[in-house]
Amino acid sequence: MSQDRRRAQHACLWSNIAVQFDFPLAYGQRTRENFRRILMQIGKAIRDARKAAGLSQHQASALAGVSARALWTLEKGGGAIETFHLVTKVLDFRIAGLPRGSSLAQRLRLARKKRRWPQAEVARRANLTAATVRALEAGGGSVASLGAVMSVLAPTARGRKPERAAWAEGSRDERFTPRHFLKLIEDSFGAIAIDPCSHPNSNVVAERHIMIEENGLSTRWSGRLAYVNPPFSAAAAWIERCHQAWLNGEVETVVLLCPARTHIRAYSNFVHGVADTIFLAGRLQFDNAERGAGFPLGLMVAVWGGSKEQIAYLLSRIEGAHVSGKSTRFAGMAEA
């Protein structure tokens, strides 16, 4: 795409936002450029999160299930809240500076109540309608409206910085499980049937490999055992996919290696109390990490559909804290 065409599309986007919000009426003394700055902060934070994850716009939009055009608009500070939720879920992106809550809508509502403002007061200060504020607190609305409300409820809010680590090669989302760890998985659960997020340089030996261009989040899995070492930037989406593949019977057992982020909804909904979880002691060094550079955050192994004997054997070979889940199979089922 030529530079002139990009500029024309960008100008058209901001022209549409200006018409939608009727700047002179809706923003009073706040100039058009100031409003644009607020929106661009949101878009830039999402763009930075995507790039930090090593994903192109095409890859990120495919993982989120939105069009590349919708993601482009979002990264310019426009678009719908629905698109914002889908993309930020894949990127594990959160806004820092708002009260904690189960959703962005709830966090906005808590921020308003903390200031003891009714919805009408937020609407007045943001130069929006009360109906627009209600829509945002119900999970709807537009990114432009979100920017306006955040400018009065949380003017210092920002995108949470993604964790970083030093890798010797490839992007920060390419972490290859060391062969000795894979041997533990194979000894505990048997041969790996499918690697749904594979890479040409991966050490995983499996009957079937799903490469990134095939998108293991949407492609059907198969076989007895799935081993999943996903892009950590999209860990939440992969946790849900692992649970779905086990629950729907696509595979008998799923073993997932990912960061131990117990605060995210995906952990509460699909891991805790469901999967057997082992919180690994120490730091695992991935094969493409710089020498001596273990992963800087805690890791967990989540197992859906493993037998008690398999879990016990794995625990006898590695150090970690075990939290049992309801997906554990009986020995008879494991041998069937």
Side-chain angles (χ1 to χ4, degrees), residues 78-90:
I81 287 295
E82 180 181 3
T83 303
F84 177 88
H85 288 321
L86 291 171
V87 171
T88 54
K89 179 180 179 182
V90 165

Side-chain angles (χ1 to χ4, degrees), residues 181-197:
F181 191 87
L182 289 169
K183 183 68 164 53
L184 294 177
I185 300 301
E186 293 165 348
D187 289 347
S188 301
F189 301 96
I192 298 171
I194 183 171
D195 177 359
C197 45

Side-chain angles (χ1 to χ4, degrees), residues 76 159 221 261 312:
K76 297 299 182 183
W221 301 2
R261 296 173 178 148

Side-chain angles (χ1 to χ4, degrees), residues 1-198:
M1 183 184 295
S2 69
Q3 190 70 15
D4 289 343
R5 187 178 178 186
R6 287 182 182 275
R7 288 173 179 171
Q9 286 185 340
H10 199 183
C12 181
L13 170 65
W14 286 106
S15 176
N16 289 338
I17 292 176
V19 170
Q20 176 186 353
F21 279 80
D22 190 7
F23 282 94
L25 174 62
Y27 272 78
Q29 299 300 316
R30 188 176 293 134
T31 65
R32 183 173 303 191
E33 283 302 314
N34 190 39
F35 178 75
R36 177 173 173 171
R37 178 185 58 80
I38 294 170
L39 299 186
M40 286 299 287
Q41 286 177 347
I42 297 176
K44 182 179 184 302
I46 293 173
R47 183 170 64 253
D48 289 346
R50 172 180 61 78
K51 289 184 176 181
L55 298 174
S56 66
Q57 283 188 334
H58 177 75
Q59 291 169 332
S61 60
L63 288 172
V66 302
S67 68
R69 173 70 180 182
L71 177 57
W72 180 86
T73 301
L74 183 64
E75 291 187 357
K76 297 299 182 183
I81 287 295
E82 180 181 3
T83 303
F84 177 88
H85 288 321
L86 291 171
V87 171
T88 54
K89 179 180 179 182
V90 165
L91 298 178
D92 192 23
F93 171 89
R94 285 175 63 88
I95 295 175
L98 287 171
R100 291 186 178 183
S102 60
S103 66
L104 177 59
Q106 185 186 53
R107 297 177 75 197
L108 289 172
R109 186 163 58 249
L110 291 173
R112 174 178 61 80
K113 290 184 176 181
K114 185 176 181 180
R115 292 178 178 267
R116 299 182 179 179
W117 290 347
Q119 290 176 337
E121 177 63 15
V122 175
R124 184 188 70 80
R125 289 173 180 265
N127 291 311
L128 299 171
T129 66
T132 299
V133 176
R134 285 196 297 271
L136 284 169
E137 292 191 2
S142 68
V143 175
S145 300
L146 173 64
V149 168
M150 284 179 55
S151 70
V152 297
L153 286 181
T156 61
R158 65 196 184 284
R160 184 192 63 190
K161 293 182 178 180
E163 71 282 350
R164 293 184 177 276
W167 306 111
E169 58 179 283
S171 78
R172 68 182 291 276
D173 245 2
E174 294 174 358
R175 302 174 179 87
F176 307 134
T177 310
R179 187 61 213 164
H180 73 85
F181 191 87
L182 289 169
K183 183 68 164 53
L184 294 177
I185 300 301
E186 293 165 348
D187 289 347
S188 301
F189 301 96
I192 298 171
I194 183 171
D195 177 359
C197 45
S198 193

Side-chain angles (χ1 to χ4, degrees), residues 167-169 174-182 201-203 229 284-291 293:
W167 306 111
E169 58 179 283
E174 294 174 358
R175 302 174 179 87
F176 307 134
T177 310
R179 187 61 213 164
H180 73 85
F181 191 87
L182 289 169
N201 297 332
S202 171
N203 294 317
N229 173 13
L284 180 66
Q285 181 168 334
F286 292 91
D287 269 8
N288 57 326
E290 293 181 347
R291 179 170 296 181

